[in-house]
Amino acid sequence: MASGDGGRANWKDPELHKLFIDLCLKESTENGKNGGSLKKESWDRVRVALNKEKNVNLSKKQLKNQWEYLKSKYGEWSKIISKTGNGYDPVTNTVNWSTEEWSEYIQANPNAKQFRYTGLQYANELQALFDGVRATGRFSWGPSKEGFPADGTLSQSQSETYINLDTGSLETPSSPNDSAKPDSKRQKKNKSDELDKQLLEALQTLQNSDGPTIEECNRILDEMELFDMSGPLYIVACSIFCESKAHREQWMLLREKPQAVRKGWIQLNGKKLGLL
């Protein structure tokens, strides 16, 4: 079979997505890995099997890019799960943190926003596939690697150098009158800095509390496999998610409800919005 011309990969197709993970896991289990990826022969077998089963024509490069993407997602998810008292609920596949806890965590880890309302799909399979392996290439770079990422750029977290000085161990000469002469300018500056910090934190909290995104709702819809992607109800559902934050929040609340309830909600809202 030809090596594939790299036709468009629809990784939102749940069957294609799951088949790729299963094939990679089979090769990893039976034949091992080469560093942080599959061996060359394994990639050839995955490509042939995937293209034949799904009648697609994906290249090896596309498969490797998807591998790195999933590895990056698993790395972000594993950081959440490894936290002490992570609040993970395996029944709903969500992390039960308060809004404040999520806002604080997302502020420090922006890529974690994708797991605000739902956990990592196929987490067990991805753990078996990637556990102990960090993302490589353009998805990650760390001090253990030599040189720079392949694209020649560093993210903000990669380009910063942190220096921790324990000022408590430093002694400064002082005069007997120092304690009696407060530095009013420094006090005013500290108050101003503190106010700026509080305002910034308030703005960031507002930015991180917009509720579920359209992308998150679409991902849940794809994972549920309620409708054929080419059918009218799938398009109606996607349109409903664009209506308002309230619609998206209600959809997320229904994700654990029976299938008939979810379908009925989409049909009812589709009629109310004139989409059906």
Side-chain angles (χ1 to χ4, degrees):
M1 186 175 180
S3 61
D5 61 4
R8 185 175 179 82
N10 180 20
W11 293 114
K12 288 187 176 182
D13 179 352
E15 293 183 0
L16 179 68
H17 178 60
K18 184 61 164 61
L19 179 60
F20 174 75
I21 294 174
D22 289 342
L23 289 172
C24 288
L25 190 56
K26 179 177 183 292
E27 287 294 332
S28 174
T29 302
E30 295 180 358
N31 302 299
K33 299 193 197 69
N34 180 17
S37 184
L38 297 179
K39 296 179 180 178
K40 179 180 181 301
E41 298 78 9
S42 291
W43 279 121
D44 289 337
R45 286 189 288 267
V46 169
R47 182 187 58 77
V48 170
L50 193 71
N51 285 342
K52 180 178 180 181
E53 178 69 21
K54 297 299 296 179
N55 193 29
V56 292
N57 194 25
L58 302 180
S59 67
K60 193 186 301 184
K61 180 180 179 181
Q62 287 174 300
L63 301 184
K64 288 183 176 181
N65 285 342
Q66 179 66 2
W67 168 284
E68 295 295 339
Y69 171 71
L70 292 175
K71 190 192 296 184
S72 178
K73 288 191 69 170
Y74 172 73
E76 196 66 53
W77 175 249
S78 64
K79 285 195 297 183
I80 296 175
I81 296 302
S82 63
K83 284 177 63 69
T84 303
N86 57 62
Y88 176 65
D89 185 346
V91 177
T92 61
N93 192 31
T94 56
V95 176
N96 298 324
W97 289 347
S98 66
T99 300
E100 292 73 18
E101 288 175 314
W102 268 114
S103 296
E104 181 180 348
Y105 188 82
I106 291 173
Q107 182 178 336
N109 304 274
N111 290 332
K113 188 175 183 180
Q114 61 187 306
F115 300 123
R116 170 68 178 86
Y117 297 97
T118 185
L120 178 66
Q121 189 181 27
Y122 306 124
N124 291 335
E125 289 87 343
L126 294 178
Q127 180 182 22
L129 198 58
F130 300 130
D131 201 16
V133 182
R134 295 179 62 87
T136 57
R138 63 190 178 90
F139 293 95
S140 178
W141 182 87
S144 61
K145 296 183 182 179
E146 296 180 0
F148 290 86
D151 60 2
T153 62
L154 291 176
S155 69
Q156 181 179 3
S157 61
Q158 293 162 355
S159 62
E160 293 174 345
T161 300
Y162 296 92
I163 301 176
N164 182 23
L165 293 178
D166 183 4
T167 56
S169 63
L170 300 178
E171 296 184 359
T172 309
S174 60
S175 67
N177 296 327
D178 282 348
S179 59
K181 296 180 180 179
D183 190 338
S184 59
K185 291 185 178 180
R186 180 173 296 177
Q187 288 179 347
K188 289 181 180 180
K189 183 179 185 302
N190 289 340
K191 288 182 180 179
S192 176
D193 290 345
E194 181 63 25
L195 181 60
D196 290 343
K197 180 181 178 182
Q198 291 176 359
L199 289 172
L200 180 60
E201 289 176 350
L203 287 172
Q204 289 172 332
T205 299
L206 288 173
Q207 291 172 351
N208 292 328
S209 61
D210 291 337
T213 64
I214 295 173
E215 181 182 0
E216 289 166 342
C217 291
N218 283 338
R219 179 160 58 88
I220 295 298
L221 177 65
D222 293 343
E223 292 173 1
M224 289 177 178
E225 302 180 38
L226 278 178
F227 311 114
D228 188 300
M229 289 187 181
S230 60
L233 284 178
Y234 181 87
I235 305 301
V236 167
C238 294
S239 300
I240 292 172
F241 303 152
C242 297
E243 285 296 318
S244 70
K245 171 185 173 182
H247 284 88
R248 295 192 292 274
E249 288 179 338
Q250 182 59 52
W251 171 249
M252 286 299 190
L253 292 175
L254 293 176
R255 67 184 184 276
E256 299 300 327
K257 300 296 182 182
Q259 188 179 79
V261 174
R262 286 175 264 144
K263 284 186 176 181
W265 183 84
I266 290 173
Q267 291 170 337
L268 177 63
N269 279 278
K271 291 177 181 178
K272 288 175 64 177
L273 295 169
L275 300 172
L276 288 174

